[in-house]
Amino acid sequence: MVKEIQLRVSLKEEEISNILVVKSAIKLAINQDDISGVKVLRKSIDARKPKIIFNYKVAVFINEPVPESSEYTFNYSDVSNAKPVHIIGFGPAGMYAALRCIELGFKPIVLERGKNVQDRRRDLRAINQYHDVNENSNYCFGEGGAGTYSDGKLYTRSLKRGDVRRIFENLVYHGATDQILVDAHPHIGTNKLPKVVQNIRETILNYGGEIHFNTRVTDFIIKSNTINALVLNDAEEISVEKVILATGHSARDIFYLLHKKHIAIEAKSFAMGVRIEHPQHIIDSIQYHCSGDRHELLPAASYSLVQQVNGRGVYSFCMCPGGFIVPAATANGEVVVNGMSPSKRNNLYANSGIVVEIDVNNDLPKYEQFGALKGLEYQKNLEKLAFTSGGRSQVAPAQRLTDFVDGKLSNTLNESSYQPGLNSAPLHSLLPKLIGSRLRKGFAAFGEKMKGYYTQEANIVGVESRTSSPVSIPRTDTLEHPEITNLFPCGEGAGYAGGIISAAMDGERCAEAACETL
Ligand code: FAD
């Protein structure tokens, strides 16, 4: 017999190795010897009160073996000679589109401007050490897309739970820890993601798909509302039947190209702000109500904050406990920050984007001339401003949190995890009022919600600008572009995803739609 029950385990009890068996036996009023195994289905931590509780949902196997089951199986078979689907971009959306094509019996041909994960690493070093941004290989571009050297938080607000589980199981199939199947806030970590991405590449190649790195799509040849061919690296031309466009939110050249060709795109609301960095122990002490180091069984603490300020949401975004701030620019002449953390989340700092909603219809009157690209141009200008105020390199402009709110330049900055370095700058006056004044009020409110958060030991670093795409590419119910029948806009860049999991799910959906029409 199998019984599913909920268990509450205190921090002290968590130290006991067989605590789940002990507690299950007590709860079910049975003998411990009758329990053949306890499988954790869900685990979360409740740290709202000083007495920290681990909440478990478990399946208790009573006098029967624990099966090694997986809800989903992945039926990959050889597609070398099958009809092709061309996929532009090999981020989470492109990767999962390719895998789904194989499951459906079609051959994915992936075109990716960046390099494979190993070669890409060298370009990341060049950004951090020499401030040199390769426009095709950086924290956003290359194998695995922005998802590879990311934080690997897999939390999604998507309501399609079934699909979410399927993606999680596929990540485990490709080498991610199976802990992601049970954790309430699953996380892989930047040190583990490249191997998962590499395994996905190997599955695609082993089953007859193709992946072409260093291959940037530079033009579409369109005849009678259909893409007939793609131009690669401004040189070669290849004919295509179905095209999944999964180039992410940083592929500005693709947005410019679509705009130039009068293919419908739309301005989309997005969010921008700064990244804040605290010593991790401050966040731990607030969240876990402790004065010294956190208990060894507790992970680096995270937070999620939101405040309405003058009619706009100010909120934390992509919080990375025990992590690093990274330079996520995709071109020289701009500074963009983002965050990531290793699987153990054991770095000394906690960072998070703190961003303000930008309503493209009302907030950017001076940018109307740019039409659908108005949000993108605004984003670009702020990234340029960060570049010049940082010192015209990947050094980022920064300020102590309290100085930012008080409106004064910082004489000194706190130590930071951001490798290219920080330069003290008056972000309070540099940022547009729309963002700066809301952030200042937002931070003051956050300090009320989390006592100790508002501290001079925190830096704010500019700018956090790539939270989501400032452009969307329309599509119909069949997921095709309304004007170009064989084009399937996909993933975050097209405005249909906001993170690794939702991008992967959208990739699967677009593959299903494209294959259905072949
Ligand atoms: P992308 O991942 O952006 O992939 C697009 C791909 O297209 C890229 O590989 C690019 O090189 C390629 N491409 C672009 N233009 C062309 C072209 N013209 N020709 C050929 N190829 C092209 N999300 C989370 O859910 N959790 C996190 O913890 C998290 N942390 C992040 C940390 C960092 C540092 C960054 C940068 C992002 C993070 N994200 C996180 C966001 C997440 O990575 C993205 O939401 C996700 O990768 C979007 O997937 P995508 O496939 O739609 O696009």
Side-chain angles (χ1 to χ4, degrees):
M1 191 196 323
V2 185
K3 291 222 162 169
E4 282 188 16
I5 56 171
Q6 312 273 351
L7 295 175
R8 283 167 59 80
V9 176
S10 71
L11 196 46
K12 195 102 202 96
E13 290 169 331
E14 181 79 5
E15 290 172 4
I16 303 166
S17 62
N18 67 338
I19 189 65
L20 295 181
V21 174
V22 174
K23 287 222 150 194
S24 298
I26 296 169
K27 185 143 189 178
L28 294 170
I30 57 174
N31 198 317
Q32 273 186 43
D33 295 341
D34 291 332
I35 297 180
S36 6
V38 176
K39 191 171 174 193
V40 177
L41 303 175
R42 198 112 188 111
K43 182 180 179 185
S44 62
I45 299 175
D46 185 350
R48 283 172 298 178
K49 298 207 175 115
K51 187 174 179 201
I52 293 169
I53 297 291
F54 292 83
N55 284 317
Y56 283 95
K57 183 179 179 192
V58 297
V60 186
F61 292 81
I62 305 162
N63 295 319
E64 71 171 78
V66 185
E68 285 228 355
S69 67
S70 171
E71 211 174 309
Y72 294 96
T73 50
F74 303 97
N75 296 318
Y76 300 126
S77 53
D78 185 36
V79 293
S80 330
N81 298 316
K83 282 190 179 171
V85 175
H86 286 82
I87 299 167
I88 313 176
F90 198 50
M95 287 191 296
Y96 276 85
L99 289 172
R100 191 76 184 124
C101 283
I102 295 177
E103 278 191 295
L104 296 170
F106 294 89
K107 175 175 178 162
I109 300 181
V110 180
L111 309 162
E112 165 57 54
R113 71 194 293 165
K115 303 179 184 173
N116 67 44
V117 280
Q118 290 83 0
D119 295 343
R120 194 177 165 190
R121 216 183 279 272
R122 261 177 245 134
D123 296 311
L124 302 188
R125 203 175 314 129
I127 302 175
N128 280 298
Q129 289 181 0
Y130 312 117
H131 305 233
D132 181 18
V133 183
N134 178 331
E135 299 196 355
N136 293 310
S137 177
N138 44 57
Y139 278 93
C140 294
F141 295 160
E143 185 175 22
T148 308
Y149 295 100
S150 79
D151 196 36
K153 280 183 293 297
L154 303 180
Y155 180 72
T156 173
R157 288 196 190 87
S158 173
L159 297 173
K160 295 203 163 189
R161 300 303 310 175
D163 297 351
V164 173
R165 177 82 188 184
R166 194 182 130 79
I167 303 290
F168 279 19
E169 293 210 359
N170 193 284
L171 287 166
V172 174
Y173 178 88
H174 285 105
T177 164
D178 58 6
Q179 198 57 33
I180 63 172
L181 300 175
V182 300
D183 280 347
H185 289 278
H187 169 246
I188 296 183
T190 191
N191 50 326
K192 306 274 181 187
L193 283 158
K195 184 69 192 153
V196 175
V197 167
Q198 190 183 320
N199 290 342
I200 291 177
R201 178 218 306 163
E202 277 161 20
T203 297
I204 294 168
L205 297 179
N206 287 344
Y207 287 98
E210 290 178 20
I211 303 170
H212 302 270
F213 293 115
N214 301 306
T215 304
R216 184 154 72 93
V217 171
T218 47
D219 204 355
F220 306 119
I221 310 292
I222 298 173
K223 290 207 179 93
S224 316
N225 297 335
T226 304
I227 299 186
N228 281 3
L230 300 174
V231 178
L232 311 180
N233 295 330
D234 287 316
E236 190 191 347
E237 214 177 284
I238 55 162
S239 358
V240 291
E241 241 179 278
K242 303 287 166 191
V243 178
I244 296 178
L245 182 66
T247 43
H249 62 25
S250 290
R252 290 179 174 159
D253 40 4
I254 288 288
F255 296 134
Y256 285 124
L257 178 65
L258 294 170
H259 197 57
K260 193 178 88 187
K261 291 184 129 22
H262 304 289
I263 298 171
I265 56 173
E266 289 159 10
K268 178 180 146 295
S269 291
F270 60 108
M272 279 179 82
V274 292
R275 196 151 271 264
I276 186 166
E277 184 169 66
H278 287 83
Q280 180 64 47
H281 71 83
I282 292 187
I283 303 301
D284 289 342
S285 68
I286 303 170
Q287 300 297 69
Y288 293 143
H289 325 276
C290 58
S291 48
D293 290 343
R294 66 177 185 269
H295 190 285
E296 59 183 18
L297 289 176
L298 291 172
S302 63
Y303 60 83
S304 168
L305 290 164
V306 58
Q307 179 72 27
Q308 282 294 314
V309 181
N310 303 343
R312 294 277 179 282
V314 177
Y315 58 90
S316 57
F317 174 83
C318 184
M319 199 267 144
C320 302
F324 302 84
I325 300 183
V326 295
T330 47
N332 286 305
E334 62 189 31
V335 165
V336 178
V337 289
N338 209 311
M340 67 183 198
S341 65
S343 55
K344 289 192 176 148
R345 287 186 156 159
N346 53 1
N347 193 30
L348 295 175
Y349 301 97
N351 70 70
S352 176
I354 302 289
V355 294
V356 178
E357 282 174 343
I358 314 278
D359 173 354
V360 279
N361 295 322
N362 296 305
D363 290 342
L364 311 177
K366 288 192 192 141
Y367 287 78
E368 283 306 325
Q369 55 181 308
F370 298 107
L373 297 175
K374 59 185 163 183
L376 189 153
E377 293 299 334
Y378 182 77
Q379 189 189 47
K380 245 172 95 174
N381 272 350
L382 231 60
E383 292 170 0
K384 267 194 214 150
L385 180 83
F387 176 76
T388 44
S389 55
R392 309 190 75 79
S393 65
Q394 285 304 304
V395 170
Q399 204 167 3
R400 284 185 192 247
L401 171 65
T402 42
D403 290 340
F404 175 67
V405 175
D406 291 345
K408 60 177 201 217
L409 188 68
S410 298
N411 293 329
T412 57
L413 295 167
N414 298 295
E415 291 286 310
S416 169
S417 67
Y418 183 72
Q419 263 197 59
L422 301 179
N423 183 33
S424 173
L427 284 166
H428 62 277
S429 61
L430 286 173
L431 288 172
K433 222 173 149 217
L434 165 70
I435 296 176
S437 73
R438 285 190 173 86
L439 281 178
R440 290 163 78 182
K441 287 186 184 153
F443 280 127
F446 294 160
E448 294 298 312
K449 292 179 188 199
M450 274 177 73
K451 298 284 179 213
Y453 185 88
Y454 181 70
T455 165
Q456 60 159 353
E457 287 184 64
N459 284 334
I460 59 155
V461 183
V463 286
E464 175 88 18
S465 49
R466 310 269 178 101
T467 56
S468 67
S469 183
V471 174
S472 67
I473 310 177
R475 65 188 190 192
T476 63
D477 291 349
T478 53
L479 309 194
E480 285 155 304
H481 190 276
E483 296 161 355
I484 311 290
T485 51
N486 61 343
L487 176 67
F488 296 79
C490 178
E492 186 162 38
Y496 302 100
I500 295 168
I501 296 298
S502 56
M505 290 195 300
D506 199 53
E508 289 208 324
R509 271 195 296 272
C510 288
E512 286 158 17
C515 292
E516 204 175 299
T517 56
L518 267 170

